[in-house]
Amino acid sequence: TGQMGRCHKTPNHGITPYVYGVSGRQWDDVPRQAELLKSEHGDEVDAILVFIGTNDFNHGVPVGEWYTEAEEEVMFARGEKEKLVVRKKRTPIMSNETYKGRINIGITRLKELFPDKQIVLLTPLHRCTENEPNPGTGLVLKDYVEALREVAEYYSLPVLDLYKTSGMQPNVPIIKYTYMPDGLHPNDAGHRILAEKIVAFLQNVLYNQ
């Protein structure tokens, strides 16, 4: 799915969700969702959940690279007089042409709008076609999941790894029938599992820091 939600804590540790995602959207829609959230709720936000990425895979968006690397002259000193030296510098790629570039743009915009709020990334779920390489990239869904895990580390964000821990693998027939009848989207029982995992994760992130 292409979803971004805002959660507000209540005294009984309940959650009031506000969903800004639109089904079928990709990472390049995150800035729009973030700006709408900001305009409608300002700073009355406790946590922002970003659950998006499977449609980038489905539409064959190239994964790309996180940064460019180039030599640059900088002033440097280590126990001696400061002098001009050449060092390699990494610059994040901000481009909607690639998956990683889109994530850089999306997370940067979220940080600009909500610098003091907790942002949580959720990995895509398994899907029946996850092991079939995307015709546009030759990559499988796990490649996109691993890219999201990388960005969580780079931006120092917690990640709820649903790909790893949801327990829902639709390539197992009984799991597909019980939780994901179409091989991708959870039914009510599947969403109950997601809700329980999200609540537990948020309680740990927000209250046990």
Side-chain angles (χ1 to χ4, degrees):
T1 61
Q3 306 291 333
M4 187 182 76
R6 162 263 199 185
C7 291
H8 181 71
K9 294 182 293 187
T10 60
N12 64 355
H13 294 182
I15 293 175
T16 301
Y18 291 83
V19 179
Y20 284 82
V22 178
S23 182
R25 295 300 175 93
Q26 303 169 35
W27 258 98
D28 59 354
D29 193 50
V30 168
R32 180 197 65 80
Q33 297 175 24
E35 288 159 10
L36 184 58
L37 169 61
K38 183 71 173 183
S39 69
E40 293 185 349
H41 292 284
D43 290 327
E44 55 179 58
V45 174
D46 298 304
I48 298 171
L49 280 65
V50 185
F51 187 21
I52 197 166
T54 191
N55 289 310
D56 296 84
F57 162 74
N58 195 42
H59 287 269
V61 177
V63 170
E65 301 295 336
W66 291 119
Y67 53 81
T68 58
E69 192 172 66
E71 292 186 341
E72 185 174 296
E73 291 186 334
V74 297
M75 297 302 294
F76 178 79
R78 181 186 295 167
E80 59 186 23
K81 185 177 180 180
E82 190 175 50
K83 62 181 178 181
L84 197 63
V85 298
V86 176
R87 291 285 188 270
K88 285 187 176 180
K89 179 182 179 181
R90 293 177 174 179
T91 302
I93 295 174
M94 301 290 181
S95 169
N96 278 321
E97 299 303 312
T98 67
Y99 182 60
K100 291 181 176 179
R102 291 176 171 189
I103 294 176
N104 278 334
I105 292 173
I107 296 301
T108 297
R109 189 60 181 143
L110 281 167
K111 288 288 191 178
E112 291 171 346
L113 293 170
F114 305 99
D116 60 340
K117 307 303 180 183
Q118 181 64 70
I119 298 170
V120 177
L121 303 183
L122 284 66
T123 64
L125 295 166
H126 286 273
R127 57 192 293 162
C128 278
T129 58
E130 67 181 38
N131 294 319
E132 300 173 12
N134 190 296
T137 64
L139 300 177
V140 296
L141 179 61
K142 188 175 181 181
D143 294 312
Y144 290 75
V145 171
E146 290 178 346
L148 195 65
R149 291 168 179 159
E150 289 176 19
V151 79
E153 180 177 326
Y154 177 78
Y155 288 100
S156 193
L157 298 176
V159 55
L160 175 51
D161 197 340
L162 295 173
Y163 188 85
K164 186 177 182 180
T165 65
S166 75
M168 293 187 287
Q169 170 49 279
N171 284 301
V172 178
I174 186 61
I175 299 299
K176 177 181 178 181
Y177 174 80
T178 305
Y179 299 112
M180 308 170 77
D182 68 353
L184 171 61
H185 299 96
N187 56 15
D188 287 348
H191 277 111
R192 187 171 297 110
I193 289 176
L194 295 184
E196 290 171 353
K197 289 188 175 295
I198 289 171
V199 168
F201 192 84
L202 284 177
Q203 287 177 335
N204 180 64
V205 170
L206 295 177
Y207 299 112
N208 298 323
Q209 294 182 359

